[in-house]
Amino acid sequence: MQTSIFLAQLIGPVMLAAAVRMIINREGQRAMAKDFLDSPPLIYISGVLVMLAGLAMVLYHNVWVADWRVIVTLLGWMATIGGAIRILCPSAVKKMGAAMIDKPMAMTIGSLVWLVIAVVLLYFGYFA
């Protein structure tokens, strides 16, 4: 349980900051995403970093239970898989990312999902 709380305390604030930035500065976020997708080295290095973080989470927190802790496990697996995809298939990442940028509602929905997950992690990490 301590690992779950630690990871919730670590991930929650970062997700909250990212979600709030996406909500309050959508055009800036879109511009940054376009620049990111135009840089294969950034896609690659972000894949390495995200995969490392995801693997660390999965190795130390592979908890499959029917409570909030499964969110941390799922985020770890999603980071591991997402990082691998960035490393192995950067052109697919660019194509999928461009499709999302072209749909403003996708970014809005994504930011709201991140906001909800961040609030849940912050609650269980700091207040529960």
Side-chain angles (χ1 to χ4, degrees), residues 47 50-51 54-55 58 74-88:
V50 169
M51 188 173 178
L55 281 171
V58 167
L74 290 171
L75 289 172
W77 277 106
M78 288 169 41
T80 301
I81 294 165
I85 291 170
R86 289 178 190 183
I87 293 168
L88 298 170

Side-chain angles (χ1 to χ4, degrees), residues 46-62:
S46 72
V48 170
L49 295 174
V50 169
M51 188 173 178
L52 281 170
L55 281 171
M57 289 170 60
V58 167
L59 290 172
Y60 286 97
H61 191 278
N62 199 16

